[in-house]
Amino acid sequence: MQDFDIAQLRTFVAAVDAGSLTAAAPQVFLSQSAVSEQLRKLEERAGHPLLVRSKSGVVPTPAGERLLAHARRLLALSEAAWRDLHGVALAGTLRLGVTDYFRTAEMAALLARLGAQHPQVRLCVTVRKSDEVEAGHARGEFDLAITMRIVEGGARRPAGDELRREPLRWAAAPGVRRARGEPLRLVALPDTCSIHRFVVGLLARRKVPHAVVHVASGVAGLHSALAAGLGIGCLNESALPASGAVALPAPHGLPALPQAVFRLLPPRAGEAAFVAQAREVVKAAFA
């Protein structure tokens, strides 16, 4: 059978988080020699060195980083299963950072699912631009973070678990079209927005004359500007408004657009078991 021993994975995660085998030993109730033996067997099972050992401690190898992500998920699932069978509720405060391009209805459904399954979990949700969410997550402001990135050919795949990908669309109020011979009237979010930067760069590369005529503070404001006929904008498909603006039908004479991908950012070192379990709930909602 090709699998891993859960106790060895737990020891591996403890060693990485603690930074040394000596510090990890009391956390898993083993002697240092027993920790070393478990890690030796795990590396043998993995077929790769998992840790770089030095006088200053241990750090994961590239293979170790890959296994670490799997190990955290497996340990979280194991603990969640134990809690479920023993009737122990998941409880605590979960700080969730989400890109403002994540569709509102889906976010509401996700929060409702978390609340229904784990009523003792207190949710604190912050909606920001993806760059701000990523920076906040790196600073430890969020336990879980969902961001959006544009998928371009040859681009390095961002870290984290992919939740969904969907196309970008040019959008405007019904009947609004780019006037021939005139610059494209572009409505967008501020230039801190990844879609804003991508679209402006794309139009410049394709030598499409354009001018940003309206800058909205958020997606709801962008919807209003589009519905008012102020210009043409770019949105991920699920963020198109239910009314007031539509995707431009082809042929619209504008450059083709790539896809956007939503990701759940990877765990930081030392992520609490409670957060790891909540991470699995979020991922399950998109399975």
Side-chain angles (χ1 to χ4, degrees):
M1 182 180 295
Q2 296 180 342
D3 57 8
F4 287 102
D5 182 281
I6 196 75
Q8 293 172 5
L9 292 176
R10 184 175 290 108
T11 299
F12 172 59
V13 171
V16 172
D17 289 347
S20 74
L21 306 192
T22 302
Q27 296 182 18
V28 291
F29 307 102
L30 295 172
S31 64
Q32 184 175 340
S33 61
V35 168
S36 296
E37 180 62 14
Q38 282 206 352
L39 293 175
R40 184 192 66 78
K41 291 180 178 178
L42 182 62
E43 288 182 321
E44 185 177 275
R45 189 68 173 166
H48 297 278
L50 300 174
L51 295 171
V52 176
R53 297 161 173 83
S54 67
K55 291 182 179 180
S56 59
V58 296
V59 293
T61 64
E65 290 282 5
R66 288 161 55 198
L67 181 59
L68 183 64
H70 292 298
R72 293 190 190 281
R73 290 196 292 269
L74 289 169
L75 291 172
L77 285 171
S78 176
E79 184 168 341
W82 185 91
R83 284 176 172 271
D84 180 47
L85 292 174
H86 288 78
V88 179
L90 185 63
T93 298
L94 185 68
R95 301 167 303 164
L96 181 61
V98 185
T99 172
D100 51 358
Y101 283 112
F102 198 77
R103 55 193 178 198
T104 305
E106 192 165 18
M107 175 52 60
L110 173 60
L111 297 180
R113 180 170 179 171
L114 280 168
Q117 292 183 353
H118 307 287
Q120 296 184 40
V121 173
R122 180 172 176 264
L123 294 170
C124 297
V125 183
T126 301
V127 179
R128 294 180 184 170
K129 305 291 184 295
S130 286
D131 285 349
E132 296 172 4
V133 172
E134 290 178 1
H137 183 259
R139 292 191 298 266
E141 295 175 8
F142 305 124
D143 300 309
L144 300 180
I146 297 174
T147 64
M148 184 199 74
R149 287 297 173 197
I150 295 169
V151 181
E152 298 185 74
R156 182 176 63 87
R157 179 177 176 177
D161 294 289
E162 183 174 319
L163 302 178
R164 185 183 70 248
R165 61 176 58 205
E166 60 188 60
L168 295 176
R169 301 293 190 197
W170 295 109
V176 169
R177 293 291 185 274
R178 176 190 174 197
R180 180 171 297 178
E182 293 185 6
L184 173 70
R185 295 173 58 82
L186 189 65
V187 297
L189 269 60
D191 59 9
T192 53
C193 166
S194 59
I195 290 185
H196 177 125
R197 296 193 299 270
F198 171 79
V199 166
V200 169
L202 175 64
L203 294 174
R205 291 193 301 273
R206 299 296 177 83
K207 296 181 170 47
V208 178
H210 62 279
V212 178
V213 297
H214 180 86
V215 176
S217 60
V219 173
L222 185 58
H223 287 172
S224 297
L226 291 171
L230 299 184
I232 293 173
C234 176
L235 286 164
N236 53 299
E237 189 169 64
S238 66
L240 291 170
S243 61
V246 295
L248 295 184
H252 44 58
L254 294 172
L257 295 169
Q259 290 188 316
V261 60
F262 290 89
R263 288 188 178 276
L264 181 63
L265 296 188
R268 297 187 306 277
E271 179 174 87
F274 159 71
V275 176
Q277 293 168 51
R279 177 182 300 279
E280 294 307 314
V281 174
V282 172
K283 287 164 56 180
F286 293 88

